[in-house]
Amino acid sequence: GTSVKKFVALCLALMMVLSICACSKTTPAASSKETQGKDSDGFSGEFRIGIALPLSGANQLEGEYYLEGARLAAEEINASGGILGKKVVLVQEDCGTNDQDMGRNSVLKLIDDGLDVVIGSWMSANCLAVLPDVAEEKVILYVPGSSDQIVQEKCEFAWMVRVPESLRGGIYSTIAFDILGMKHPYVFSASSAAQIATVDGIVETAKERGVEITDKQLLYYAAEETNFSTLLAMVTSDSACDGVITTGGNTDTVIAQMRQMYDAGIYNLKLCGSNHMGLASVLSNVSDEVGTGWTFVADWNQYIPEAEGEFPKRSIDFELAYRERWGRESQEKSVWAYDCVYLTKLACEAAGTTEDITAINNGLKTIDCQLAGNYYRYDENGLWHVLATSLTICKTVEGKKVVPVQVVDLR
């Protein structure tokens, strides 16, 4: 009687409470690491791409450019239907700056999270540290570093999206000897393996042009060096010296080098430099006089839309879209990440799958097209898994304005 009614009422009340709790449950918020939403309306699922980038440390600001480039590509691809119908979702991990353990761990975290495609750190040492893991786990790793050591490792799943250092020597020589007409230059270079490979390329291609660069003219220094007075004295004491070639390095090192060269009167000579001479992080920290007068090797130039001459439409379209989306000019890191996302799309389409990573990896071998930052092509008989084929020659003119001169195909 009454007790049964009370029991039934109690059960009904309990069911109502459980129903309300169930209805009030919300889908867990997407991880703060994910830079795209989890809403897959109109898509058949998600294709997650990892990106290891500096969210802390000295390169944090450049890491923001890196992420913006990847996000722009993901947004564009998703707006056009995704990758084989799947929505592109970016997942990021902090790779720090020069800590190889942190760099390796950032990629390992992405792999542990189930990601099969990772855009790696642009610091070559970080990429080198993780290559054994990439090979073991069979995860595609894009390498925006440029060390020849990465090529020499011959990792089946690692792909370089920049021109390696050994090929850069030729473009330095094009600038120094063909464009600027140097006959007796001095070369400033950090003593790292990657930088030495570049110098070896400069010396070799100088000989082909009838220019001999002796050991005395090769001025090596520690990677963190910021005092160049002794080396500069060697340059100024040689009356035959008509130019300086510098292969770059850390941002602080390059800034110190440029300032001290200017103070030593070396700006009266012909100047050939690295991509750093066009970076906002360098030019914003030197005077107009110090930031002007260089002709240099660059992976990218954000002022291509304003330049005279023939430049790829894909590059111009990217820069204009980047400015509209983010309200500022891009940097080379932006275009590297942007192109890596598009390379993934092309590889998946070539393979006809988003699931079979070996097939997608083989799909990268079919790449032969112009993207925003480079013309990418794989040569089975060439350098191991190197996709980039070109570099840009640029110069700084009055007021630190960076002007692209020409794109040079290196292979």
Side-chain angles (χ1 to χ4, degrees):
T2 303
S3 61
V4 172
K5 289 181 180 178
K6 285 182 178 179
F7 177 74
V8 171
L10 181 61
C11 288
L12 290 171
L14 182 60
M15 289 174 64
M16 288 179 66
V17 170
L18 290 173
S19 176
I20 291 170
C21 289
C23 291
S24 65
K25 275 188 177 181
T26 59
T27 302
S31 166
S32 61
K33 294 178 182 177
E34 296 192 4
T35 63
Q36 301 289 324
K38 300 291 282 187
D39 180 8
S40 297
D41 289 348
F43 295 97
S44 60
E46 294 180 346
F47 190 98
R48 299 197 303 159
I49 299 174
I51 179 168
L53 73 168
L55 302 172
S56 60
N59 288 324
Q60 182 177 352
L61 293 178
E62 293 184 73
E64 293 174 7
Y65 282 97
Y66 205 41
L67 184 57
E68 287 175 355
R71 288 183 62 188
L72 178 60
E75 290 169 4
E76 290 176 354
I77 291 170
N78 288 336
S80 63
I83 297 179
L84 296 178
K86 289 189 176 181
K87 182 177 183 178
V88 178
V89 174
L90 299 177
V91 184
Q92 64 196 58
E93 278 292 345
D94 186 5
C95 71
T97 304
N98 294 319
D99 186 330
Q100 289 184 35
D101 288 335
M102 188 173 182
R104 175 173 177 263
N105 288 336
S106 66
V107 176
L108 291 180
K109 287 177 184 177
L110 292 168
I111 294 173
D112 290 342
D113 198 25
L115 280 85
D116 294 317
V117 177
V118 177
I119 303 171
S121 165
W122 67 77
M123 286 161 273
S124 294
N126 289 351
C127 291
L128 277 167
V130 81
L131 288 185
D133 306 287
V134 168
E136 181 179 351
E137 300 292 338
K138 295 181 171 59
V139 172
I140 292 172
L141 178 73
Y142 293 111
V143 180
S146 57
S147 170
D148 285 270
Q149 289 179 279
I150 294 169
V151 179
Q152 292 159 10
E153 288 295 319
K154 293 192 174 182
C155 176
E156 180 61 34
F157 288 86
W159 293 86
M160 187 177 286
V161 295
R162 292 175 65 195
V163 173
E165 298 295 341
S166 59
L167 293 184
R168 290 171 182 259
I171 196 73
Y172 277 98
S173 289
T174 296
I175 293 171
F177 310 119
D178 300 343
I179 295 177
L180 299 179
M182 293 184 191
K183 299 297 183 186
H184 188 74
Y186 276 69
V187 181
F188 279 73
S189 174
S191 54
S192 66
Q195 298 289 319
I196 291 173
T198 298
V199 174
D200 289 343
I202 294 171
V203 172
E204 182 180 342
T205 50
K207 284 182 181 177
E208 296 171 1
R209 292 165 167 82
V211 177
E212 182 183 3
I213 301 177
T214 65
D215 289 345
K216 174 190 173 184
Q217 292 162 249
L218 303 179
L219 306 179
Y220 290 105
Y221 53 85
E224 305 294 333
E225 184 60 71
T226 56
N227 185 342
F228 300 96
S229 56
T230 301
L231 299 183
L232 290 172
M234 295 176 66
V235 175
T236 55
S237 65
D238 186 347
S239 60
C241 176
D242 62 351
V244 168
I245 304 169
T246 175
T247 62
N250 295 330
T251 300
D252 290 346
T253 297
V254 173
I255 291 171
Q257 202 173 85
M258 291 169 70
R259 286 173 174 167
Q260 291 168 39
M261 284 182 177
Y262 182 82
D263 291 341
I266 287 177
Y267 271 47
N268 294 326
L269 305 176
K270 298 164 183 175
L271 303 175
C272 171
S274 70
N275 62 311
H276 291 79
M277 278 56 192
L279 294 181
S281 54
V282 170
L283 293 177
S284 62
N285 285 288
V286 298
S287 66
D288 284 1
E289 293 80 9
V290 173
T292 298
W294 288 88
T295 305
F296 58 94
V297 181
D299 290 87
W300 168 246
N301 186 282
Q302 62 269 35
Y303 300 108
I304 276 181
E306 292 79 26
E308 297 179 1
E310 293 294 324
F311 296 98
K313 183 177 184 300
R314 190 72 182 264
S315 303
I316 295 169
D317 290 345
F318 159 76
E319 180 58 32
L320 295 176
Y322 189 96
R323 294 177 191 180
E324 182 177 355
R325 177 65 179 88
W326 302 113
R328 61 178 178 177
E329 291 85 6
S330 70
Q331 277 205 28
E332 57 186 15
K333 281 79 177 179
S334 314
V335 79
W336 295 339
Y338 178 91
D339 281 357
C340 286
V341 179
Y342 269 99
L343 285 169
T344 304
K345 177 178 185 291
L346 292 171
C348 287
E349 290 172 348
T353 178
T354 58
E355 302 292 336
D356 187 338
I357 294 303
T358 299
I360 296 169
N361 194 60
N362 288 331
L364 286 167
K365 296 178 181 179
T366 70
I367 298 296
D368 189 352
C369 67
Q370 176 70 50
L371 291 180
N374 219 300
Y375 192 100
Y376 297 96
R377 180 179 65 252
Y378 179 58
D379 181 2
E380 290 278 1
N381 300 314
L383 292 172
W384 180 268
H385 286 203
V386 173
L387 292 174
T389 64
S390 65
L391 287 168
T392 305
I393 295 175
C394 305
K395 62 181 179 180
T396 47
V397 298
E398 188 174 353
K400 297 188 292 188
K401 182 180 178 183
V402 181
V403 179
V405 177
Q406 66 184 98
V407 175
V408 179
D409 189 3
L410 294 182
R411 62 180 188 86

